[in-house]
Amino acid sequence: MTFIKKTLASSIAIAATAAMATAAQAEISDGTVRIGYLADMSGTYRDLAGPGGLEALEMAIEDFGGSVDGAPIEVFSADDRNSADVGANTVREWVDQRNVDLVAGMVASSVTIAVTNVLEANDKLGIVSGSAASSITNEHCTPNHIHWVYDTYPLANGTARAVVEQGGDTWFMLTADYAFGHALEADVTKVVEENGGEVIGGVRHPFPTDDFSSYILQAQGSGAKIIGLANAGSDTVNAINTASQFGVVEAGQQLAGLLVFLNDVYAMGLDATQGLLLTTGWYWNMDDESREWAERYYERVGSMPTMVQAGIYSSTMHYLQAVQATGSDDTQTVREYMMKQPIHDFFARNGRIREDGRMVHDMYLARVKSPAESTHEWDLYEILTSIPAEEAYRPLSESQCDLVQN
């Protein structure tokens, strides 16, 4: 009789578990959570997100267990080739043919703005990790996306403010001629002028650009103390290398890399970049928790992660936790839950998602180490100070986002 009771109890427990799993899947469309990873996989921004970002996303799914209460997690990816048309068309196909739940990655801001319009029209969710333009959660905000890692506002607020305070009060802006570059130029100009400096000139270059000779010559001719680089990826690397060939620093001007990634510094080397001030949302060697995750990533990829790649892991975990907690992949249900939960993991300190979709968290002012200071090949930054979340990002009182009640 005891055996029968135990068997009956076990059967009821198994049936209940199966019923809960079935119920969870019933709330998840087609019984599968589908994530599309969209990024530049082969061009200018490949190394800052690219295949490494996809690996970080897959790490998050593995660490989560590979399913949500029995519903499998499916991942597919595409190279947007930094084209807004390619990105938007890819996501339309994912919506129409694959029933995508979440679009992750997204690097070039022009691509992101086009994609988030598609997401809004189809009530799907996007988490933007690679793009920089602060307009993504300002005039281009939607109720269908979240901006996770950084944007141009804290980059300007951190780096430009620090440079002006150190005496760099005249600037020449070298700007990538698309949404990200325009946003960064505007944010930097505002910070420079508010702190008593002046932008005395500038030039915009096509994205991407291989030959920076004429642009660097114009910057030299301006007589500005600071040449602000409002570009990213290989454009920044090419501009810095060209400036080195032209002896810009030796002649007395200083470069301000306004969006410099770990992989950029690694590629150029400490001889070329030592002393460079930059703002970052995360650094692999900033504490034990960051090091532990970064070392796991390194074992899989062979390089240390950028802040974008770390942010992709962090945002994917937060999304999956929300799907599990709500038992649903409905966009607005999941987004609302995500907004209510604070974010404090190896990536984010004091993180939260605001009504405009901006995930605000502490940012960091860093200095690139000299070769003598570095203890190994990826020991590249010294964190100088943290910028609290509520100070780093554009205040909601200045927002142009329709979702914000001012």
Side-chain angles (χ1 to χ4, degrees):
M1 181 66 79
T2 302
F3 172 76
I4 293 173
K5 286 181 178 178
K6 286 183 176 178
T7 304
L8 181 59
S10 297
S11 300
I12 291 170
I14 291 169
T17 301
M20 285 191 297
T22 302
Q25 290 188 50
E27 296 297 325
I28 293 173
S29 53
D30 297 340
T32 302
V33 178
R34 293 184 171 86
I35 302 175
Y37 177 77
L38 183 72
D40 174 6
M41 302 292 273
S42 57
T44 303
Y45 296 152
R46 179 187 189 278
D47 292 338
L48 67 90
L54 180 58
E55 191 70 27
L57 187 149
E58 291 174 343
M59 283 177 67
I61 292 170
E62 289 173 20
D63 289 349
F64 195 79
S67 64
V68 181
D69 290 336
I73 302 167
E74 180 185 345
V75 176
F76 33 88
S77 63
D79 185 349
D80 61 31
R81 297 182 300 200
N82 292 317
S83 164
D85 288 342
V86 171
N89 289 334
T90 298
V91 172
R92 283 193 193 96
E93 189 271 333
W94 287 351
V95 170
D96 294 340
Q97 304 297 325
R98 303 201 190 188
N99 197 26
V100 68
D101 296 304
L102 171 70
V103 177
M106 290 182 276
V107 183
S109 297
S110 53
V111 175
T112 295
I113 292 167
V115 166
T116 54
N117 287 335
V118 175
L119 296 174
E120 183 178 22
N122 292 276
D123 198 25
K124 298 294 184 177
L125 185 63
I127 303 180
V128 182
S129 291
S131 300
S134 59
S135 62
I136 289 168
T137 49
N138 197 30
E139 60 264 38
H140 295 299
C141 73
T142 78
N144 291 80
H145 72 272
I146 295 165
H147 201 174
W148 200 263
V149 177
Y150 71 106
D151 66 37
T152 52
Y153 194 93
L155 297 179
N157 216 18
T159 307
R161 184 186 303 275
V163 170
V164 173
E165 287 175 352
Q166 292 180 1
D169 56 4
T170 56
W171 287 61
F172 181 94
M173 296 299 300
L174 182 55
T175 302
D177 193 10
Y178 78 107
F180 146 65
H182 301 168
L184 184 51
E185 180 186 89
D187 287 338
V188 167
T189 300
K190 181 173 182 287
V191 169
V192 168
E193 292 176 349
E194 285 178 349
N195 286 272
E198 181 184 5
V199 176
I200 62 174
V203 62
R204 292 178 173 178
H205 65 80
F207 164 73
T209 295
D210 293 324
D211 185 359
F212 277 85
S213 301
S214 65
Y215 307 119
I216 293 298
L217 285 171
Q218 289 181 62
Q220 281 185 302
S222 72
K225 295 178 184 177
I226 308 297
I227 301 172
L229 304 178
N231 50 23
S234 62
D235 281 342
T236 300
V237 172
N238 290 336
I240 291 174
N241 285 337
T242 302
S244 177
Q245 293 166 11
F246 282 48
V248 166
V249 174
E250 290 83 353
Q253 290 175 296
Q254 182 180 348
L255 300 174
L258 297 164
L259 180 52
V260 178
F261 289 93
L262 187 76
N263 57 285
D264 299 328
V265 174
Y266 182 82
M268 290 182 285
L270 295 180
D271 283 327
T273 57
Q274 60 183 307
L276 189 69
L277 292 174
L278 58 94
T279 301
T280 187
W282 179 83
Y283 176 51
W284 74 268
N285 201 23
M286 60 191 291
D287 56 37
D288 290 342
E289 197 175 3
S290 296
R291 277 188 292 275
E292 187 275 331
W293 183 82
E295 286 164 2
R296 288 177 52 215
Y297 178 93
Y298 182 86
E299 289 174 2
R300 298 170 66 126
V301 178
S303 60
M304 284 300 180
T306 65
M307 64 171 172
V308 171
Q309 290 154 346
I312 288 168
Y313 178 100
S314 169
S315 59
T316 302
M317 287 294 285
H318 196 66
Y319 170 76
L320 293 175
Q321 288 162 359
V323 173
Q324 183 176 58
T326 60
S328 173
D329 60 357
D330 174 74
T331 294
Q332 298 309 323
T333 301
V334 170
R335 188 179 187 272
E336 182 179 355
Y337 184 88
M338 292 176 71
M339 288 178 65
K340 291 178 179 177
Q341 306 307 308
I343 300 114
H344 188 91
D345 56 16
F346 78 90
F347 171 78
R349 305 292 184 272
N350 302 309
R352 68 179 181 91
I353 299 168
R354 303 189 312 196
E355 54 263 49
D356 59 354
R358 175 68 259 172
M359 197 280 273
V360 299
H361 60 102
D362 294 354
M363 298 287 288
Y364 305 91
L365 182 66
R367 179 185 63 83
V368 176
K369 291 184 175 182
S370 69
E373 292 172 310
S374 177
T375 58
H376 56 85
E377 64 174 339
W378 287 99
D379 180 26
L380 304 176
Y381 295 174
E382 176 190 0
I383 300 297
L384 300 178
T385 187
S386 63
I387 307 169
E390 300 306 320
E391 296 178 15
Y393 290 90
R394 174 181 281 110
L396 287 175
S397 60
E398 298 178 7
S399 178
Q400 300 175 43
C401 173
D402 292 339
L403 304 173
V404 176
Q405 303 296 321
N406 285 326

